[in-house]
Amino acid sequence: MSAGSNLRSADQFLCSICLDVFTDPVTTPCGHNYCKTCITHHWDDNVLYKCPLCQETFYTRPQLKVNTLLREMVSEFRREAQQKSSSSSSEQQAAEPGEVPCDVCTGTRLKALKSCLVCLASYCETHLEPHLTASSRLKKHQLVEPVENLEDRICTKHDKPLELFCKTDQTCVCSLCPVLDHKTHELVPLREEYEGKKAELQKTDAEIQKMIQKRRLKIQEIKESLKISNDAADREKAEGVQVFTDLKESVERRLKEFMKEMEDKQKTAEKQAEDFIKDLEQEICELKKRSSEVEQLSRSEDHLHLLQRFSSLEDAPPTKNWTEVRVHPPSYEGTVVRAVNQLKKNLREKMKKLLAEVELRRIQQFEADVTLDPDTAHPGLILSDDGKQVYLGDVKKNLPDNPERFSQCPCVLGKQSFSSGRFYFEVQVKGKTDWTLGVTRESVNRKGNITVSPQNGYWTVWLRKANEYEALAGPSVRLHPSSPPEKLGVFVDYEEGLVSFYDVDAAALLYSFTGCSFREKLHPYFCPCNNHGGKNSAPLIICPVNQTV
């Protein structure tokens, strides 16, 4: 018999009472078949003898006879099912520790595929077939993933399946519990409570997933912060290596200069001594006794010894008066001190320059892309198309006198505003005799004459008459750059209340406004000033930062 026929005939071999394959099948007078034990016990519990299927009533207990044909068919079906089960068992896996075993298997218990909440049993693939292919009564049973301890799903008081949920006591109950212990409580089917709890779990899981995502973002944020920190450390190390290398080279250079100075003095002294010796050797033919002493003493580099022994030679009969002749050793006293002091001075200047360069490179990291805002520009100003250059033209344009526009002073603001953090920009001022640069509050007065000072919301420096530099600190502070700056750097730290101005090429700090109190947006401020007959016609140019100072 094929597997297909087994599946099709399985329904025919199931007792409708025990829902299992017939054991000693018997036939009732109405023609229906049951296990002999099942129908006997069924009739033992009833006064009237009814057929469980067709409900036909027998007023006397019928004599039951074994259905021999059906019994033989059932036996054949069992043999084939056993063979199929043995074959399937070899393919299926035995239940491992921790896995739910089949409750029907004998011998090696196979891994259960499903558990039935009605039968309160777990089944392997073979023994699960009746629930998948048998009568509608089995198909209606509730199958779930394999679970252990199915007895926990039975009410311990009433020996009934737990089918309801008591919302009052938050516990599972059977169908009889409401009659006795939960009469006034709110009860719902398990499925309904299951759906509600499942929805809550999904909501909880969604919240957990959000928390996980937030923590993943935090991890990413920490990693990015660490990367920024490591990058900053690498930059600082590189800066440190450069600074100390430069200082080391300065020291080595000064050491070479010192050694050369000493060697030059030595050579001068040696040359003088050699000249004297040459003259003396011509005169001491007859002074052989003392010649060796003179020669040894004149070649000595021990200054003290030479001076102490020289006087003992005065009694020698000279052919020439050498009394006033001396080998004058160069003065070495204080040479090291002078060299070290000069080195210290050079190092201070070098360190000051190097640290200024390091500081400038540090703040250049906060470069902002600044462009000019035409809506704020005085009508006489000419702005480039890219918003990076400005100069004063010869003719005022007819422009709307909007509140943002400067009406009298030839000024323009940067389009970008800043209300936190740090920012930096550079402006080329080469070729100009007059200019004003800095930052200003967004709310400053832009009409008529304006007084540029911190009290009025301006933090600026200016150049006048080609050589007069001032910080407009109210009162103004005269500045003295070592050379006329060609490019000016402007740095703002909003939270620290700091506005600093740098000579970019010299890497020198010109002036800093400190202790400022910023409470609103700041804008970069540019004033190219009047042309003065073409002498000041060069534009102010916003430059990209070149960090190769």
Side-chain angles (χ1 to χ4, degrees), residues 192-210:
E192 180 179 329
E193 186 64 22
Y194 162 83
E195 295 295 340
K197 287 293 191 289
K198 187 174 181 180
E200 290 182 16
L201 289 175
Q202 290 174 346
K203 183 178 179 181
T204 300
D205 183 59
E207 293 175 353
I208 292 174
Q209 293 303 319
K210 288 181 180 179

Side-chain angles (χ1 to χ4, degrees), residues 203-410:
K203 183 178 179 181
T204 300
D205 183 59
E207 293 175 353
I208 292 174
Q209 293 303 319
K210 288 181 180 179
M211 295 172 66
I212 292 173
Q213 185 62 22
K214 286 183 178 179
R215 281 151 180 78
R216 285 176 176 167
L217 292 174
K218 180 57 69 174
I219 290 174
Q220 187 64 30
E221 178 185 328
I222 292 172
K223 287 181 177 179
E224 290 176 357
S225 298
L226 179 60
K227 182 179 183 302
I228 293 172
S229 174
N230 289 338
D231 291 344
D234 291 340
R235 286 195 301 271
E236 286 298 314
K237 286 190 286 186
E239 296 284 3
V241 168
Q242 181 175 345
V243 168
F244 283 103
T245 299
D246 289 345
L247 293 176
K248 178 183 176 184
E249 291 176 353
S250 297
V251 172
E252 291 175 347
R253 188 164 51 251
R254 186 57 189 153
L255 175 60
K256 289 180 180 179
E257 294 172 356
F258 169 76
M259 294 302 294
K260 186 178 185 304
E261 180 184 355
M262 296 299 294
E263 290 170 359
D264 289 345
K265 288 183 177 182
Q266 282 182 299
K267 288 179 181 179
T268 300
E270 289 173 358
K271 181 67 170 58
Q272 186 182 41
E274 289 172 358
D275 291 342
F276 288 157
I277 290 170
K278 184 177 179 181
D279 292 340
L280 288 169
E281 283 178 344
Q282 295 175 358
E283 298 180 359
I284 60 174
C285 316
E286 73 283 2
L287 302 176
K288 294 181 179 180
K289 184 178 180 180
R290 292 182 180 249
S291 63
S292 60
E293 296 179 12
V294 172
E295 182 179 359
Q296 181 179 0
L297 185 61
S298 65
R299 291 181 182 276
S300 173
E301 295 181 3
D302 187 338
H303 313 146
L304 179 63
H305 176 69
L306 186 147
L307 294 174
Q308 290 174 341
R309 294 286 296 162
F310 191 81
S311 60
S312 66
L313 301 177
E314 293 181 349
D315 297 333
T319 58
K320 178 182 177 181
N321 185 6
W322 289 88
T323 304
E324 301 301 326
V325 177
R326 295 285 188 276
V327 174
H328 297 285
S331 176
Y332 298 112
E333 185 178 353
T335 304
V336 174
V337 174
R338 287 194 301 272
V340 171
N341 288 336
Q342 184 62 40
L343 175 62
K344 288 168 64 177
K345 180 181 178 182
N346 292 344
L347 286 180
R348 279 196 296 269
E349 294 175 355
K350 184 70 174 177
M351 287 177 64
K352 182 178 180 181
K353 187 174 189 304
L354 289 174
L355 292 176
E357 290 176 355
V358 170
E359 175 65 12
L360 183 57
R361 280 195 291 270
R362 183 186 69 81
I363 66 175
Q364 284 177 331
Q365 303 293 326
F366 301 99
E367 177 186 9
D369 185 13
V370 174
T371 55
L372 303 172
D373 185 359
D375 291 337
T376 66
H378 179 272
L381 294 179
I382 306 298
L383 276 61
S384 62
D385 293 338
D386 62 359
K388 295 293 186 179
Q389 301 186 30
V390 59
Y391 65 93
L392 184 63
D394 296 327
V395 179
K396 272 191 176 184
K397 297 184 290 294
N398 186 16
L399 297 174
D401 187 21
N402 50 287
E404 297 84 9
R405 191 179 308 282
F406 287 92
S407 64
Q408 188 163 337
C409 295

Side-chain angles (χ1 to χ4, degrees), residues 92-102 108-112:
Q92 298 180 55
Q93 296 179 350
E96 299 289 340
E99 295 179 336
V100 179
C102 176
T108 301
R109 301 179 70 184
L110 301 182
K111 177 182 176 180

Side-chain angles (χ1 to χ4, degrees), residues 126-146:
T126 300
H127 296 115
L128 184 63
E129 285 187 4
H131 281 76
L132 303 176
T133 61
S135 66
S136 59
R137 292 182 62 185
L138 281 178
K139 287 181 179 179
K140 292 180 180 179
H141 288 191
Q142 185 176 357
L143 298 176
V144 296
E145 294 301 313

Side-chain angles (χ1 to χ4, degrees), residues 429-446:
V429 295
K430 181 179 179 181
K432 295 190 67 62
T433 61
D434 298 79
W435 47 258
T436 306
L437 291 171
V439 294
T440 181
R441 287 198 304 256
E442 190 172 61
S443 63
V444 292
N445 175 38
R446 308 182 191 189

Side-chain angles (χ1 to χ4, degrees), residues 81-100:
Q82 185 64 36
Q83 293 175 357
K84 185 173 182 295
S85 176
S86 299
S87 175
S88 298
S89 297
S90 63
E91 297 176 358
Q92 298 180 55
Q93 296 179 350
E96 299 289 340
E99 295 179 336
V100 179

